[in-house]
Amino acid sequence: MKSLEEKILREGKVLPGGVLKVGSFLNHQIDADFIMEMGREIARLFEGAGVTKILTVEASGIAIAIGAGAAMHVPVLFAKKSKTVNISGDVYQTVIHSFTHGVDYHVMVEKQFLQPDDKVLIVDDFLANGKAIEGLMNLATQSDATVVGVACAIEKGFQQGGDALRGQGLRVESLAIVERMDENGVVFRTQ
Ligand code: 5GP
């Protein structure tokens, strides 16, 4: 998505440790118009896939997930993070290792919001090592829902998550794929 690449070039900052900061429009301050534009692009890519629900994880996936959910007219469910395991039987839960914070999070969704006949599109802001997406797939699988694909705003193509998920036969669509980045700038993969 050309407009996303241009926005990253204009507003993104590359931090040490391979972290791209896009706090001006996606991760801190939210550019609501642009979120809706990205959501429409995700809806276009997955048109006809029969998506019934968007699944993401709090907090930074929620904005783009809402963009997609609004464009596709389906509910947006976000996995909630908690420090402890929830022992009640009414939730699906798993553990996600956070790339940016270096810690493990227990995440959960209430069982009532994921049904076996759901066709789930997993949406997130970034795809790096793929741990967040794997955790969300795990939650969907526990519910016997079908995962129709993954959409993320920015994939870091120099980390292996996206290619590993595609290697499993999963449809993964990234609106921008960063091929490499350093203090001199960001280079995108041609899609
Ligand atoms: P993964 O689980 O694929 O390794 O990492 C994805 C998650 O880590 C995303 O949900 C995102 O919040 C965070 N993340 C990974 N890389 C970056 C990055 O370069 N910049 C920002 N802002 N978040 C990132």
Side-chain angles (χ1 to χ4, degrees):
M1 189 180 170
K2 198 84 204 137
S3 53
L4 175 59
E5 293 183 357
E6 287 166 1
K7 212 164 168 62
I8 294 168
L9 291 176
R10 266 197 321 272
E11 301 180 28
K13 286 196 179 60
V14 180
L15 300 187
V19 172
L20 177 63
K21 247 194 132 182
V22 284
S24 65
F25 66 95
L26 187 59
N27 287 147
H28 189 19
Q29 173 172 263
I30 309 281
D31 182 335
D33 279 340
F34 195 67
I35 286 287
M36 300 320 260
E37 195 179 320
M38 289 195 287
R40 284 192 293 275
E41 177 61 7
I42 291 170
R44 190 188 67 77
L45 289 165
F46 283 92
E47 195 175 2
V51 174
T52 62
K53 192 154 290 189
I54 307 277
L55 177 64
T56 189
V57 58
E58 70 176 356
S60 55
I62 294 177
I64 180 154
I66 288 184
M72 299 173 97
H73 307 289
V74 296
V76 175
L77 176 64
F78 64 92
K80 293 188 173 194
K81 291 175 179 165
S82 72
K83 290 204 179 71
T84 51
V85 178
N86 185 321
I87 50 163
S88 74
D90 56 358
V91 299
Y92 299 117
Q93 53 193 331
T94 190
V95 174
I96 292 178
H97 181 78
S98 163
F99 173 80
T100 37
H101 298 110
V103 296
D104 287 347
Y105 288 107
H106 294 275
V107 300
M108 63 90 180
V109 295
E110 286 187 27
K111 287 183 177 174
Q112 59 169 325
F113 296 128
L114 269 185
Q115 295 294 324
D117 59 352
D118 268 323
K119 289 187 160 194
V120 175
L121 176 63
I122 294 175
V123 173
D124 206 0
D125 58 341
F126 273 88
L127 172 52
N129 292 324
K131 299 297 174 202
I133 303 293
E134 279 172 21
L136 293 169
M137 282 175 62
N138 182 318
L139 294 174
T141 305
Q142 288 180 51
S143 75
D144 287 332
T146 306
V147 176
V148 301
V150 172
C152 66
I154 305 170
E155 176 177 339
K156 295 194 291 182
F158 54 88
Q159 293 181 249
Q160 81 287 358
D163 292 336
L165 292 167
R166 290 183 187 98
Q168 293 169 26
L170 193 68
R171 182 174 175 200
V172 179
E173 300 283 358
S174 300
L175 303 184
I177 302 183
V178 175
E179 189 66 63
R180 57 180 192 276
M181 62 185 200
D182 55 27
E183 62 282 4
N184 299 315
V186 177
V187 176
F188 296 99
R189 186 184 295 177
T190 340
Q191 296 193 69

